[in-house]
Amino acid sequence: MKHLIAPSLLSADFANLQRDVEMLNRSEADWLHIDIMDGVFVPNISFGFPVLQAIAKHAQKPLDVHLMIVEPDRYLGDFKKAGAAVITVHYEACTHLHRTIQAIKDLGCKAGVAINPHTPVSVLETILHDLDLVLIMSVNPGFGGQKFIENTYQKIKQVKELAKAVNPNLLIEVDGGVGMANIKQLVDAGANVLVAGNAVFAADSSEEMIKSLKNC
Ligand code: DX5
Ligand code: ZN
């Protein structure tokens, strides 16, 4: 499959969200990546349900919700109601990951698990066949515009290798520091969903940048 581009709204202009969502609707973006941060799991707070609902009202593409929060189970139903198509929780935030994944699927959403840069891929071995998506963090979560961590390529290859036998359709998403300098190499390594915040929204033309990332 051709890789998907998921621009992160974290880098959008929050005073002009409707304008930015409409730009993404017109663009070659595939999904809209929504970063939810609680100030506990990560050292930053982004936005919550009212903002997500405002985005959903205008978005014409699937909402890819990345939960950087503790106890995500408490809010899964609310995220579904707010318009999430994909819900990704952090491995590091879930004590009963299997239960959480089943709950996301029962809601009718695609289920993803994210791993921080220090978390080895091997921890996903026994849950991989239940997942729709693995999100490999290529920066430490909490902020947009950070420097890409190079060992990500290795981790993509490891996920791909593990998934080959048990879940060949698994989506492998990479999030953090993605741009024109590394996207081709990431796709070649096996990534098929690429998140880009700063690269898209700091570009002179965000629409042109999305096009370049899509057709790299
Ligand atoms: C970081 C977020 C990312 C972030 C990516 O915690 O999960 O989605 O917005 O932004 P860039 O592409 O600017 O690194
Ligand atoms: Zn994210």
Side-chain angles (χ1 to χ4, degrees):
M1 71 179 255
K2 180 136 180 81
H3 62 278
L4 307 180
I5 301 296
S8 167
L9 271 298
L10 190 63
S11 297
D13 177 354
F14 285 6
N16 286 289
L17 260 182
Q18 181 176 348
R19 182 200 66 192
D20 284 358
V21 171
E22 285 170 353
M23 177 278 291
L24 295 175
N25 288 342
R26 283 193 308 271
S27 77
E28 289 186 37
D30 297 281
W31 293 353
L32 273 54
H33 186 81
I34 311 287
D35 288 303
I36 306 289
M37 305 178 181
D38 66 355
V40 179
F41 181 69
V42 287
N44 194 12
I45 297 175
S46 56
F47 51 81
F49 294 111
V51 174
L52 176 53
Q53 283 155 357
I55 292 169
K57 196 167 138 196
H58 300 287
Q60 293 164 358
K61 297 179 181 182
L63 301 183
D64 172 34
V65 176
H66 175 194
L67 298 182
M68 286 161 277
I69 64 174
V70 297
E71 297 186 43
D73 306 73
R74 291 171 56 190
Y75 302 104
L76 296 175
D78 294 318
F79 281 110
K80 163 70 183 178
K81 263 190 230 135
V86 183
I87 298 180
T88 296
V89 294
H90 265 262
Y91 168 81
E92 301 85 1
C94 294
T95 309
H96 302 286
L97 186 60
H98 184 270
R99 178 183 291 150
T100 305
I101 293 306
Q102 298 313 320
I104 295 172
K105 289 180 151 181
D106 288 347
L107 290 167
C109 295
K110 279 195 201 304
V113 172
I115 53 171
N116 280 335
H118 74 277
T119 302
V121 165
S122 56
V123 299
L124 299 177
E125 200 173 334
T126 50
I127 190 91
L128 213 55
H129 64 277
D130 285 316
L131 304 181
D132 296 300
L133 177 149
V134 166
L135 187 163
I136 301 171
M137 285 306 307
S138 41
V139 298
N140 284 294
F143 304 92
Q146 301 182 82
K147 190 173 176 293
F148 178 83
I149 297 172
E150 295 288 329
N151 80 347
T152 305
Y153 300 110
Q154 175 94 13
K155 291 174 88 174
I156 296 169
K157 288 179 192 154
Q158 288 170 347
V159 173
K160 204 178 168 195
E161 185 59 32
L162 278 180
K164 207 158 69 183
V166 293
N167 190 350
N169 296 323
L170 181 76
L171 294 169
I172 304 177
E173 182 169 28
V174 174
D175 185 7
V178 174
M180 285 310 289
N182 53 18
I183 190 161
K184 173 108 178 48
Q185 210 180 330
L186 290 165
V187 170
D188 288 347
N192 43 27
V193 185
L194 286 304
V195 177
N198 193 58
V200 165
F201 287 97
D204 288 340
S205 164
S206 298
E207 251 186 278
E208 281 302 315
M209 178 52 71
I210 292 167
K211 192 185 177 109
S212 303
L213 292 167
K214 182 74 187 177
N215 298 292
C216 68

